[in-house]
Amino acid sequence: MKTVCVMGLGYIGLPTACMLASNGYRVHGVDVNKDIINKLNSGIPHIEEPELEGLFSKVFSKERLEISNKVKKADVYIISVPTPLGNKNMSELKYVENAVDMIKEHICRDNLVILESTSPPGTTENLVGKKIDQYSGLAAGEDYFLAFCPERVLPGRLIYELVNNDRVIGGINPESAEKAMDLYKSFSKASFYLTDLKTAEIVKLAENTYRDVNIAFSNELSKICKNQGISIWDVIEVANKHPRVNILNPGPGVGGHCIPIDPWFILEGGGLKDTLIEKSRRVNDAMPEKVFEAAMDILKDIKDPKITVLGASYKENVDDTRESPTGALMEILKIKGIHASVHDPVAGGFKYGLEDLETAVKKSDLLLLMVGHNIFKELDFGNIARLMNNRNMLDTRNFFHKKELEKYSFKYFQL
Ligand code: SAJ
């Protein structure tokens, strides 16, 4: 049976390891985080995702997937470690380098090495391939296969999208891309687009940069609509009726570990100055400040106001709070000395603390919706209204209905 070593057991690595283990491969999952390893070896995934727990326990109990912090010799090595932003908005690739250092002594003829981590163009060939070649004396593309295959899954739909989303695969040569495609076809029903390494690296970055620029357009259009005294939501609804228009939603900022980061990767080494891409990043990063200004305008006549923030995750119905706009907002509120409590029953922990609903709304002067978790549709505004000092609602996601809130004598505002 072919063996696969998956380096990095996060949102992508763990589901990928499970899919391969349940489709004919023996998989060795490697992570450097002891808590993750202990939790997984106790039989419980550390990530909240539909279907993941069932899939993991199936392959783990059948010993098709084993977990440790040590690399084991394998036929295939997949690197799916974080690639965060470092200083001066440059990529931080030390986790990729560490993973390559861990596997390079094991690489032998006919192995397949795949980088899945979103990375600046040139990373697969120069950081992964070259390091392995220098150490092993083998040549990427001739003695072993080297490919890049980024994920396109949406948190909350990981398993479904791993199986059904088309994917791009770059190879240092066509044979490498084909070898990687054969591997993913063991569980994927989708189509694969084979190309060279750099094209595949830039395709991934282009997808997310396209989204960031379009969200920035939507946030800017929202300000124009506000200045014109009309609803951005009406404008988007009708404009999107055009067969070739798809304006995205304005919001309180752009979070997560991809969309705010990938545009910087595409600019890295791109040799351009004063770009639309960078300006879009600045527009989106400035949104939490806009939320703060809107909240202060609502609270301007209230001494020592308290704000109840609904939602800590970076987006609806996920537990991930990485790069969350709420984090940026809390930083501003802390600097300005404004008292705020955060309530989020979905988020898996938050550095500014999370309160139960009653504690968070007690004596509050403003409900500030930052994340449209489905569970917030069930809020009992009658009870909440009784607990608050002033009944104000600032809805940054067009999530609630103004008339519904006004029934409980809320003043309803949007960004
Ligand atoms: N957001 C808006 N308005 C929108 C859409 C999103 O303000 O109309 C905000 C969200 O609230 C969130 C941020 O942008 O804070 C990012 O949300 P997202 O749903 O755009 O991004 P991710 O990071 O959950 O998933 C994206 C997806 N990429 C694209 O849709 C092009 C996913 O397919 C990728 O696999 C993922 O990035 C990734 O890991 O690269």
Side-chain angles (χ1 to χ4, degrees):
M1 176 182 287
K2 282 224 162 190
T3 55
V4 182
C5 185
V6 178
M7 306 294 291
L9 300 175
Y11 278 84
I12 304 306
L14 180 63
T16 302
C18 293
M19 295 303 283
L20 288 165
S22 72
N23 285 279
Y25 292 87
R26 185 174 300 291
V27 182
H28 187 68
V30 179
D31 205 292
V32 294
N33 181 314
K34 285 195 175 41
D35 294 341
I36 290 180
I37 293 169
N38 294 338
K39 187 144 187 169
L40 289 171
N41 278 325
S42 69
I44 308 163
H46 60 294
I47 291 167
E48 284 292 318
E49 267 294 324
E51 301 173 55
L52 181 61
E53 188 159 355
L55 183 61
F56 174 75
S57 52
K58 187 183 88 179
V59 293
F60 188 67
S61 57
K62 286 184 182 161
E63 297 179 358
R64 302 289 282 277
L65 169 61
E66 53 177 17
I67 308 286
S68 83
N69 62 352
K70 296 248 179 313
V71 176
K72 266 196 177 164
K73 215 162 194 38
D75 302 301
V76 181
Y77 297 84
I78 295 178
I79 301 173
S80 52
V81 296
T83 47
L85 215 46
N87 298 331
K88 299 195 177 66
N89 290 321
M90 300 295 279
S91 58
E92 174 50 84
L93 299 176
K94 66 184 176 187
Y95 302 112
V96 174
E97 286 190 273
N98 293 344
V100 174
D101 286 339
M102 287 174 76
I103 66 170
K104 66 188 181 187
E105 61 190 275
H106 299 280
I107 304 297
C108 51
R109 217 166 272 290
D110 296 335
N111 276 175
L112 168 60
V113 179
I114 302 172
L115 176 63
E116 287 204 354
S117 308
T118 304
S119 304
T123 302
T124 312
E125 184 165 5
N126 301 324
L127 185 61
V128 181
K130 282 220 169 66
K131 271 181 92 105
I132 293 172
D133 292 3
Q134 281 156 8
Y135 184 88
S136 65
L138 298 172
E142 289 163 42
D143 304 313
Y144 68 95
F145 304 101
L146 180 64
F148 174 76
C149 181
E151 46 71 29
R152 281 178 167 169
V153 295
L154 211 54
R157 296 164 44 93
L158 268 180
I159 302 298
Y160 173 82
E161 293 206 348
L162 263 182
V163 174
N164 294 287
N165 282 9
D166 292 356
R167 294 178 80 155
V168 62
I169 301 181
I172 195 160
N173 57 8
E175 206 181 352
S176 294
E178 278 151 27
K179 286 279 180 195
M181 179 174 67
D182 293 345
L183 179 88
Y184 290 109
K185 277 189 172 224
S186 66
F187 62 79
S188 168
K189 299 180 197 152
S191 304
F192 291 84
Y193 302 97
L194 309 189
T195 182
D196 61 272
L197 289 174
K198 203 173 265 189
T199 300
E201 288 163 334
I202 290 202
V203 161
K204 172 65 185 175
L205 298 174
E207 291 164 3
N208 285 349
T209 303
Y210 158 83
R211 195 159 170 83
D212 193 49
V213 170
N214 279 272
I215 294 168
F217 167 69
S218 168
N219 284 326
E220 202 148 81
L221 183 62
S222 165
K223 294 171 205 159
I224 292 169
C225 291
K226 182 156 192 157
N227 294 342
Q228 294 285 350
I230 59 170
S231 161
I232 174 69
W233 303 101
D234 295 345
V235 168
I236 289 173
E237 187 189 349
V238 177
N240 282 355
K241 299 292 184 204
H242 186 295
R244 287 178 297 284
V245 172
N246 176 30
I247 301 170
L248 295 177
N249 294 329
V254 170
H257 51 298
C258 308
I259 304 286
I261 288 159
D262 295 3
W264 296 113
F265 286 12
I266 212 166
L267 289 174
E268 196 170 315
L272 295 184
K273 290 254 177 291
D274 199 21
T275 61
L276 166 69
I277 294 172
E278 182 169 345
K279 283 197 176 69
S280 298
R281 282 277 66 243
R282 306 283 181 214
V283 167
N284 290 334
D285 278 352
M287 291 313 291
E289 178 70 30
K290 291 276 170 282
V291 173
F292 169 73
E293 290 164 5
M296 291 301 105
D297 190 42
I298 294 165
L299 297 168
K300 57 183 177 296
D301 302 326
I302 298 171
K303 192 172 175 322
D304 292 337
K306 173 184 175 183
I307 297 176
T308 303
V309 178
L310 296 176
S313 304
Y314 82 87
K315 71 179 221 183
E316 66 281 359
N317 306 320
V318 297
D319 63 355
D320 191 352
T321 60
R322 284 179 290 185
E323 306 285 324
S324 150
T326 302
L329 173 69
M330 292 305 288
E331 207 47 48
I332 298 167
L333 293 168
K334 202 168 82 174
I335 293 166
K336 304 283 188 181
I338 306 290
H339 178 203
S341 292
V342 185
H343 172 65
D344 187 329
V346 175
F350 188 48
K351 70 181 264 196
Y352 297 91
L354 294 173
E355 307 285 352
D356 65 270
L357 183 63
E358 295 235 335
T359 309
V361 302
K362 206 175 181 72
K363 299 192 181 318
S364 177
D365 302 289
L366 172 68
L367 284 185
L368 170 45
L369 181 100
M370 292 287 282
V371 185
H373 290 317
N374 293 343
I375 197 164
F376 288 149
K377 289 282 186 204
E378 295 152 30
L379 287 174
D380 171 355
F381 283 106
N383 183 38
I384 291 171
R386 270 191 297 282
L387 291 164
M388 292 179 74
N389 277 354
N390 288 284
R391 298 170 187 170
N392 294 301
M393 156 66 78
L394 172 56
D395 179 357
T396 69
R397 300 278 187 175
N398 191 35
F399 183 77
F400 294 114
H401 295 295
K402 183 177 162 79
K403 292 209 177 340
E404 193 53 34
L405 272 294
E406 286 171 341
K407 269 192 227 158
Y408 298 99
S409 63
F410 273 87
K411 285 192 202 134
Y412 177 85
F413 303 86
Q414 289 195 346
L415 252 191

